[in-house]
Amino acid sequence: MTEIKSYAYDHIYVSKPVLEVGIAGHEIIEGLLKAFVGAINQEYYLGSTSKSRMLISFLPDQFLGKNRKLDDDPYIRILKITDFISGMTDRYAVHVYQMISGVHLTT
């Protein structure tokens, strides 16, 4: 088992396709967090912008406070966004990332 683990770490986990997916995954997670946390912080601290309103409107009710108002506690606000993103499937996360970054538009 030790030899299998060693081989996997040396040859499989560092293969180009695995690294490409891993790097893309990190970019997607970072992009989603930046967009949605940025939107709730913009809305809470600085006021609405068109983009922050659209991103917040995209969030399902359970990831916002009562009556879709933002929670006063910043920890709770960020926790809800993290919960939203962590519940996404890989395919849906890619779709949302492409949508908010303008890479893919649905009509």
Side-chain angles (χ1 to χ4, degrees), residues 25-93:
H26 282 282
E27 184 67 28
I28 289 167
I29 296 294
E30 182 181 332
L32 292 172
L33 284 168
K34 183 177 179 181
F36 285 103
V37 170
I40 62 169
N41 284 338
Q42 170 70 39
E43 192 82 13
Y44 191 83
Y45 294 113
L46 302 171
S48 292
T49 64
S50 176
K51 183 177 180 179
S52 68
R53 280 192 308 274
M54 285 188 278
L55 285 167
I56 290 170
S57 293
F58 187 79
L59 293 169
D61 291 345
Q62 74 245 38
F63 301 107
L64 294 169
K66 188 175 182 179
N67 298 322
R68 296 190 59 82
K69 299 279 185 195
L70 295 175
D71 291 285
D72 287 329
D73 185 342
Y75 174 77
I76 298 298
R77 289 195 305 269
I78 294 171
L79 186 64
K80 287 181 178 182
I81 295 300
T82 304
D83 189 28
F84 171 62
I85 293 169
S86 68
M88 293 179 176
T89 63
D90 291 350
R91 186 171 296 215
Y92 185 64

